Amino acid sequence: MATRTDAPTRREQILKEAARLFAERGFHGVGVDEIGAAVGISGPGLYRHFAGKDAMLAELLVGISESLLTGAKRRLAEADGAGGVAPGAVLDSLIEGHIDFALDDRPLITLHDRELDRLRDADRKLVRQLQRQYVELWVGVVRSLYPDLAEPTARSAVHSVFGLLNSTPHLTRPGSLPDRAGTAELLHRMARGAFAAAAGA
């Protein structure tokens, strides 16, 4: 989810708790009453904000795909506006943005892996469409840095790096990761190394 400096709305609070509970216990293992209790309202009170659990799941999964794509487009626009930004710096910016997601929104990664197929066809197709756009944006940046890298190879490298960055929910044992800054630095170094290896650099 996008980082906010102001207080989250009730709707955002509901989505955050729904994501946490769905990730911990599975979509069907969580009731509306439990989500309501987590944010201090009655289960039926949730229906003032969402039609039901299916609507929450759709908003979570479509929302994070939209957020990642919008954030990446913003980073590219900022680089274009600055003029003369090196492709490596643009790639670094994209990696930083995805690392923020991977470290701060781990329940959404778990939720996507487990529950994407529960979405309605239209919502699932929208998620896939947004994800393809996100991937292709990265492919363009990677190939601007490594122009000799074939497009299919660049695309495979991007998917591989996403797999690396999105592995954070599986590294949750105490002491399994350094602090946040150290983890971010490690993931960034590994991502850049993966792209360099794909290009034979």
Side-chain angles (χ1 to χ4, degrees):
M1 309 288 284
T3 301
R4 296 176 58 94
T5 56
D6 52 336
T9 65
R10 178 50 60 91
R11 187 180 183 88
E12 289 168 334
Q13 291 173 343
I14 292 169
L15 286 173
K16 180 178 180 180
E17 290 305 314
R20 179 182 65 81
L21 290 167
F22 292 159
E24 288 177 357
R25 306 219 307 271
F27 181 73
H28 287 306
V30 178
V32 170
D33 288 342
E34 294 171 272
I35 299 171
V39 294
I41 61 177
S42 67
L46 286 180
Y47 292 107
R48 291 198 298 271
H49 301 277
F50 296 96
K53 288 199 308 177
D54 289 339
M56 293 180 210
L57 181 64
E59 185 156 335
L60 284 165
L61 295 183
V62 172
I64 191 54
S65 296
E66 288 176 336
S67 179
L68 284 169
L69 179 59
T70 298
K73 286 180 175 179
R74 186 189 69 249
R75 288 169 183 269
L76 262 65
E78 289 170 353
D80 287 343
V85 177
V90 179
L91 181 58
D92 284 336
S93 181
L94 288 179
I95 292 171
E96 288 165 7
H98 199 100
I99 287 173
D100 284 343
F101 158 65
L103 292 179
D104 297 338
D105 290 304
R106 296 183 198 184
L108 288 175
I109 297 174
T110 300
L111 199 58
H112 179 277
D113 289 346
R114 293 180 184 169
E115 311 291 358
L116 181 64
D117 288 344
R118 298 192 189 280
L119 293 182
R120 295 180 309 156
D121 285 346
D123 290 327
R124 188 168 58 251
K125 287 177 181 176
L126 177 56
V127 169
R128 293 301 193 195
Q129 180 185 50
L130 293 165
Q131 290 174 338
R132 283 194 297 272
Q133 293 177 47
Y134 185 59
V135 168
E136 293 311 307
L137 187 150
W138 277 65
V139 169
V141 172
V142 170
R143 295 192 72 214
S144 70
L145 180 60
Y146 301 109
D148 293 334
L149 190 62
E151 186 174 310
T153 304
R155 190 171 293 110
S156 294
V158 168
H159 281 291
S160 297
V161 166
F162 288 171
L164 164 69
L165 300 181
N166 291 346
S167 68
T168 53
H170 307 294
L171 305 172
T172 55
R173 289 179 315 194
S176 62
L177 290 173
D179 61 21
R180 191 191 188 287
T183 301
E185 182 182 355
L186 174 63
L187 290 172
H188 198 128
R189 200 163 58 241
M190 293 174 71
R192 283 302 299 265
F195 286 126

XYZ file of all heavy atoms in Angstrom, residues 124-182:
467
model
N -9.377 -10.387 -11.541
C -8.118 -11.113 -11.741
C -7.441 -10.677 -13.043
O -6.224 -10.487 -13.094
C -8.374 -12.617 -11.747
C -7.086 -13.445 -11.763
C -7.358 -14.906 -11.483
N -8.280 -15.486 -12.438
C -9.525 -15.835 -12.180
N -10.027 -15.643 -10.968
N -10.291 -16.373 -13.101
N -8.232 -10.479 -14.086
C -7.668 -10.015 -15.354
C -7.085 -8.617 -15.207
O -6.036 -8.301 -15.790
C -8.740 -10.039 -16.445
C -9.098 -11.436 -16.912
C -10.215 -11.406 -17.953
C -10.592 -12.804 -18.396
N -11.738 -12.804 -19.341
N -7.736 -7.774 -14.409
C -7.222 -6.427 -14.191
C -5.886 -6.479 -13.454
O -4.943 -5.755 -13.809
C -8.236 -5.594 -13.402
C -7.808 -4.167 -13.040
C -7.417 -3.378 -14.286
C -8.927 -3.458 -12.282
N -5.791 -7.322 -12.432
C -4.525 -7.471 -11.712
C -3.429 -7.904 -12.676
O -2.325 -7.335 -12.677
C -4.668 -8.488 -10.557
C -3.296 -8.851 -9.983
C -5.548 -7.926 -9.456
N -3.709 -8.895 -13.500
C -2.704 -9.390 -14.446
C -2.305 -8.307 -15.451
O -1.132 -8.179 -15.813
C -3.245 -10.617 -15.189
C -3.445 -11.836 -14.325
C -2.171 -12.281 -13.659
N -2.292 -13.604 -13.082
C -1.439 -14.111 -12.196
N -0.411 -13.366 -11.791
N -1.614 -15.313 -11.707
N -3.272 -7.532 -15.895
C -2.980 -6.454 -16.838
C -2.066 -5.409 -16.206
O -1.081 -4.961 -16.822
C -4.280 -5.800 -17.296
C -4.093 -4.652 -18.283
C -5.411 -3.971 -18.595
O -6.167 -3.594 -17.690
N -5.703 -3.810 -19.870
N -2.368 -5.014 -14.987
C -1.534 -4.045 -14.284
C -0.131 -4.596 -14.055
O 0.873 -3.876 -14.205
C -2.182 -3.681 -12.946
C -3.495 -2.901 -13.029
C -4.205 -2.923 -11.673
C -3.257 -1.462 -13.472
N -0.049 -5.865 -13.716
C 1.256 -6.480 -13.476
C 2.084 -6.534 -14.761
O 3.292 -6.298 -14.732
C 1.077 -7.882 -12.898
C 0.546 -7.877 -11.471
C 0.237 -9.263 -10.963
O 0.020 -10.210 -11.733
N 0.203 -9.409 -9.647
N 1.443 -6.832 -15.875
C 2.181 -6.864 -17.151
C 2.747 -5.486 -17.482
O 3.885 -5.366 -17.932
C 1.281 -7.367 -18.281
C 1.066 -8.873 -18.292
C 0.455 -9.335 -19.602
N -0.862 -8.783 -19.830
C -1.993 -9.333 -19.408
N -1.959 -10.464 -18.709
N -3.167 -8.772 -19.672
N 1.943 -4.454 -17.247
C 2.422 -3.096 -17.497
C 3.615 -2.769 -16.604
O 4.581 -2.129 -17.041
C 1.303 -2.086 -17.267
C 0.161 -2.172 -18.269
C -0.941 -1.180 -17.930
O -0.678 -0.009 -17.658
N -2.177 -1.636 -17.940
N 3.536 -3.198 -15.364
C 4.626 -2.957 -14.407
C 5.905 -3.664 -14.866
O 6.993 -3.074 -14.867
C 4.180 -3.451 -13.036
C 5.128 -3.190 -11.893
C 5.521 -1.892 -11.556
C 5.605 -4.242 -11.112
C 6.372 -1.654 -10.485
C 6.445 -4.016 -10.035
C 6.826 -2.721 -9.730
O 7.669 -2.490 -8.654
N 5.761 -4.906 -15.274
C 6.915 -5.665 -15.757
C 7.539 -4.986 -16.975
O 8.765 -4.814 -17.058
C 6.517 -7.120 -16.092
C 7.631 -7.817 -16.877
C 6.195 -7.898 -14.825
N 6.699 -4.605 -17.935
C 7.235 -4.020 -19.167
C 7.926 -2.689 -18.909
O 8.898 -2.340 -19.590
C 6.121 -3.855 -20.204
C 5.552 -5.168 -20.717
C 6.640 -6.149 -21.155
O 7.508 -5.745 -21.981
O 6.646 -7.294 -20.665
N 7.458 -1.951 -17.930
C 8.130 -0.712 -17.560
C 9.548 -1.021 -17.064
O 10.516 -0.358 -17.465
C 7.301 -0.012 -16.487
C 7.689 1.389 -16.046
C 6.443 2.142 -15.609
C 8.689 1.330 -14.914
N 9.672 -2.029 -16.228
C 10.997 -2.445 -15.748
C 11.863 -2.942 -16.903
O 13.057 -2.631 -16.963
C 10.853 -3.559 -14.718
C 10.563 -3.119 -13.323
C 9.441 -2.487 -12.868
C 11.408 -3.276 -12.185
N 9.526 -2.255 -11.521
C 10.719 -2.726 -11.070
C 12.666 -3.842 -11.986
C 11.261 -2.727 -9.788
C 13.211 -3.843 -10.705
C 12.512 -3.286 -9.625
N 11.276 -3.724 -17.790
C 12.047 -4.261 -18.919
C 12.669 -3.125 -19.726
O 13.841 -3.183 -20.115
C 11.163 -5.152 -19.821
C 11.870 -5.489 -21.133
C 10.788 -6.439 -19.078
N 11.899 -2.073 -19.965
C 12.420 -0.940 -20.711
C 13.606 -0.294 -20.018
O 14.603 0.074 -20.667
N 13.520 -0.142 -18.706
C 14.619 0.477 -17.958
C 15.845 -0.434 -17.954
O 16.980 0.026 -18.143
C 14.166 0.797 -16.517
C 15.341 1.268 -15.662
C 13.070 1.849 -16.533
N 15.632 -1.724 -17.739
C 16.757 -2.663 -17.726
C 17.473 -2.658 -19.076
O 18.721 -2.635 -19.144
C 16.270 -4.081 -17.365
C 17.377 -5.113 -17.595
C 15.789 -4.136 -15.922
N 16.717 -2.636 -20.151
C 17.348 -2.667 -21.477
C 18.001 -1.336 -21.834
O 18.912 -1.289 -22.658
C 16.327 -3.068 -22.539
C 15.831 -4.503 -22.349
C 15.047 -4.991 -23.542
N 15.938 -5.232 -24.670
C 15.595 -5.039 -25.941
N 14.391 -4.553 -26.233
N 16.441 -5.302 -26.907
N 17.554 -0.254 -21.211
C 18.251 1.011 -21.431
C 19.617 0.999 -20.753
O 20.556 1.657 -21.209
C 17.412 2.187 -20.934
O 17.326 2.202 -19.523
N 19.729 0.246 -19.654
C 21.008 0.116 -18.959
C 21.888 -0.933 -19.628
O 23.115 -0.759 -19.710
C 20.760 -0.254 -17.493
C 21.993 -0.443 -16.608
C 22.828 0.837 -16.561
C 21.577 -0.856 -15.198
N 21.264 -1.995 -20.101
C 21.996 -3.091 -20.757
C 21.418 -3.279 -22.160
O 20.615 -4.192 -22.398
C 21.862 -4.383 -19.954
C 22.381 -4.297 -18.543
C 21.506 -4.298 -17.454
C 23.746 -4.221 -18.286
C 21.975 -4.230 -16.146
C 24.236 -4.153 -16.982
C 23.347 -4.152 -15.920
O 23.826 -4.087 -14.635
N 21.776 -2.435 -23.115
C 21.139 -2.458 -24.446
C 21.364 -3.747 -25.232
O 20.593 -4.043 -26.154
C 21.765 -1.250 -25.163
C 22.971 -0.893 -24.364
C 22.728 -1.320 -22.969
N 22.377 -4.506 -24.889
C 22.624 -5.762 -25.607
C 21.798 -6.921 -25.045
O 21.837 -8.035 -25.595
C 24.117 -6.130 -25.546
C 24.983 -5.149 -26.312
O 24.461 -4.522 -27.262
O 26.168 -4.989 -25.961
N 21.069 -6.675 -23.983
C 20.272 -7.730 -23.361
C 18.990 -7.943 -24.158
O 18.218 -7.005 -24.377
C 19.930 -7.324 -21.921
C 19.306 -8.387 -21.013
C 20.253 -9.560 -20.816
C 18.947 -7.765 -19.668
N 18.774 -9.163 -24.623
C 17.579 -9.466 -25.411
C 16.325 -9.266 -24.559
O 16.334 -9.494 -23.340
C 17.629 -10.900 -25.921
N 15.254 -8.842 -25.219
C 14.028 -8.529 -24.480
C 13.504 -9.711 -23.671
O 13.150 -9.538 -22.497
C 12.958 -8.025 -25.453
C 11.695 -7.540 -24.762
C 10.724 -6.910 -25.752
O 11.153 -6.045 -26.530
O 9.544 -7.298 -25.725
N 13.455 -10.939 -24.241
C 12.963 -12.060 -23.419
C 13.838 -12.313 -22.198
O 13.325 -12.664 -21.128
C 12.991 -13.243 -24.388
C 12.919 -12.630 -25.754
C 13.687 -11.352 -25.648
N 15.140 -12.150 -22.356
C 16.041 -12.354 -21.220
C 15.830 -11.277 -20.167
O 15.820 -11.561 -18.962
C 17.506 -12.347 -21.691
O 17.685 -13.334 -22.707
C 18.458 -12.651 -20.544
N 15.656 -10.042 -20.618
C 15.393 -8.955 -19.683
C 14.101 -9.211 -18.915
O 14.028 -8.990 -17.700
C 15.313 -7.626 -20.426
N 13.089 -9.685 -19.616
C 11.802 -9.947 -18.965
C 11.944 -11.070 -17.934
O 11.395 -10.992 -16.830
C 10.754 -10.298 -20.021
C 9.334 -10.363 -19.477
C 8.312 -10.496 -20.597
N 8.284 -9.281 -21.414
C 8.738 -9.224 -22.672
N 9.233 -10.300 -23.263
N 8.681 -8.080 -23.329
N 12.669 -12.113 -18.296
C 12.904 -13.201 -17.345
C 13.671 -12.708 -16.122
O 13.378 -13.122 -14.992
C 13.686 -14.330 -18.027
O 12.912 -14.933 -19.041
N 14.650 -11.841 -16.358
C 15.423 -11.293 -15.239
C 14.535 -10.463 -14.322
O 14.659 -10.533 -13.087
C 16.583 -10.449 -15.766
N 13.636 -9.675 -14.889
C 12.725 -8.864 -14.078
C 11.846 -9.767 -13.215
O 11.686 -9.538 -12.007
C 11.863 -7.948 -14.969
C 10.713 -7.325 -14.165
C 12.720 -6.848 -15.592
N 11.283 -10.808 -13.807
C 10.448 -11.727 -13.023
C 11.257 -12.402 -11.918
O 10.761 -12.597 -10.801
C 9.822 -12.778 -13.939
C 8.635 -12.296 -14.702
N 7.429 -11.999 -14.092
C 8.457 -12.047 -16.026
C 6.555 -11.596 -15.010
N 7.152 -11.609 -16.184
N 12.501 -12.749 -12.226
C 13.353 -13.386 -11.223
C 13.648 -12.441 -10.070
O 13.634 -12.843 -8.902
C 14.670 -13.850 -11.864
O 14.435 -14.835 -12.846
N 13.906 -11.183 -10.381
C 14.170 -10.201 -9.330
C 12.919 -9.981 -8.481
O 13.006 -9.870 -7.256
C 14.686 -8.876 -9.937
C 14.632 -7.744 -8.916
C 16.110 -9.066 -10.450
N 11.750 -9.959 -9.118
C 10.515 -9.840 -8.330
C 10.387 -11.025 -7.368
O 9.966 -10.870 -6.219
C 9.295 -9.779 -9.236
C 9.135 -8.484 -9.985
C 8.168 -8.368 -10.975
C 9.928 -7.386 -9.719
C 8.002 -7.179 -11.679
C 9.775 -6.195 -10.407
C 8.805 -6.101 -11.391
N 10.729 -12.215 -7.852
C 10.677 -13.384 -6.983
C 11.603 -13.243 -5.785
O 11.249 -13.602 -4.655
N 12.790 -12.706 -6.044
C 13.739 -12.458 -4.961
C 13.184 -11.444 -3.965
O 13.145 -11.694 -2.751
C 15.054 -11.933 -5.555
C 16.028 -11.265 -4.573
C 16.611 -12.296 -3.625
C 17.129 -10.537 -5.326
N 12.747 -10.303 -4.455
C 12.279 -9.245 -3.566
C 11.017 -9.648 -2.817
O 10.817 -9.264 -1.659
C 12.039 -7.959 -4.361
C 13.257 -7.370 -5.091
C 12.878 -6.091 -5.817
C 14.414 -7.128 -4.134
N 10.165 -10.428 -3.467
C 8.892 -10.827 -2.852
C 9.023 -12.043 -1.943
O 8.015 -12.580 -1.471
C 7.846 -11.099 -3.929
C 7.418 -9.838 -4.662
O 7.694 -8.730 -4.215
N 6.755 -10.004 -5.791
N 10.261 -12.473 -1.691
C 10.468 -13.625 -0.799
C 10.438 -13.231 0.674
O 10.494 -14.105 1.547
C 11.821 -14.284 -1.107
O 12.906 -13.426 -0.742
N 10.306 -11.945 0.973
C 10.410 -11.486 2.359
C 9.415 -12.138 3.327
O 9.767 -12.329 4.497
C 10.283 -9.956 2.439
O 9.079 -9.538 1.771
C 11.479 -9.272 1.794
N 8.177 -12.488 2.923
C 7.283 -13.123 3.906
C 7.803 -14.467 4.401
O 7.376 -14.950 5.454
C 5.966 -13.306 3.139
C 6.018 -12.282 2.063
C 7.469 -12.212 1.666
N 8.716 -15.086 3.659
C 9.231 -16.403 4.045
C 10.464 -16.293 4.931
O 11.038 -17.315 5.320
C 9.562 -17.207 2.787
C 8.434 -17.285 1.807
N 7.253 -17.955 2.082
C 8.272 -16.737 0.571
C 6.431 -17.828 1.047
N 7.022 -17.093 0.125
N 10.895 -15.081 5.232
C 12.117 -14.863 6.017
C 11.764 -14.136 7.305
O 12.279 -13.075 7.606
C 13.111 -14.033 5.203
C 13.474 -14.593 3.822
C 14.308 -13.585 3.056
C 14.221 -15.917 3.959
N 10.873 -14.737 8.071
C 10.318 -14.029 9.237
C 10.759 -14.595 10.579
O 10.325 -14.104 11.606
C 8.783 -14.059 9.191
O 8.338 -15.427 9.095
C 8.260 -13.280 7.984
N 11.615 -15.602 10.585
C 12.086 -16.105 11.874
C 12.965 -15.056 12.540
O 13.702 -14.341 11.863
C 12.901 -17.391 11.683
C 12.083 -18.600 11.271
C 12.990 -19.789 11.093
N 14.181 -19.403 10.326
C 15.008 -20.276 9.782
N 14.777 -21.558 9.898
N 16.068 -19.862 9.115
N 12.925 -14.978 13.873
C 13.779 -14.004 14.569
C 15.243 -14.185 14.175
O 15.767 -15.300 14.176
C 13.559 -14.341 16.052
C 12.203 -14.986 16.093
C 12.078 -15.744 14.794
N 15.871 -13.099 13.805
C 17.275 -13.153 13.424
C 17.533 -13.600 12.004
O 18.686 -13.699 11.585
N 16.465 -13.892 11.241
C 16.677 -14.374 9.878
C 17.014 -13.236 8.926
O 17.506 -13.478 7.823
C 15.438 -15.120 9.365
O 14.309 -14.257 9.310
N 16.720 -11.998 9.327
C 17.030 -10.832 8.508
C 17.731 -9.789 9.366
O 17.499 -9.716 10.571
C 15.740 -10.214 7.939
C 15.000 -11.003 6.864
C 13.673 -10.322 6.555
C 15.826 -11.120 5.594
N 18.604 -8.983 8.770
C 19.136 -7.835 9.507
C 18.025 -6.804 9.733
O 16.868 -7.061 9.409
C 20.225 -7.301 8.566
C 19.845 -7.788 7.209
C 19.132 -9.087 7.414
N 18.376 -5.640 10.266
C 17.356 -4.621 10.446
C 16.842 -4.154 9.088
O 17.338 -4.575 8.043
C 17.894 -3.451 11.272
C 19.094 -2.755 10.615
O 19.284 -2.884 9.389
O 19.837 -2.082 11.335
N 15.822 -3.290 9.118
C 15.176 -2.917 7.860
C 16.156 -2.314 6.866
O 16.168 -2.673 5.686
C 14.025 -1.940 8.107
C 13.157 -1.727 6.870
C 12.196 -0.572 7.035
N 11.254 -0.496 5.933
C 11.572 -0.088 4.704
N 12.820 0.288 4.414
N 10.652 -0.052 3.763
N 16.988 -1.391 7.336
C 17.943 -0.748 6.435
C 18.924 -1.771 5.861
O 19.242 -1.746 4.665
C 18.687 0.364 7.169
N 19.389 -2.677 6.723
C 20.320 -3.697 6.255
C 19.673 -4.653 5.265
O 20.294 -5.064 4.282
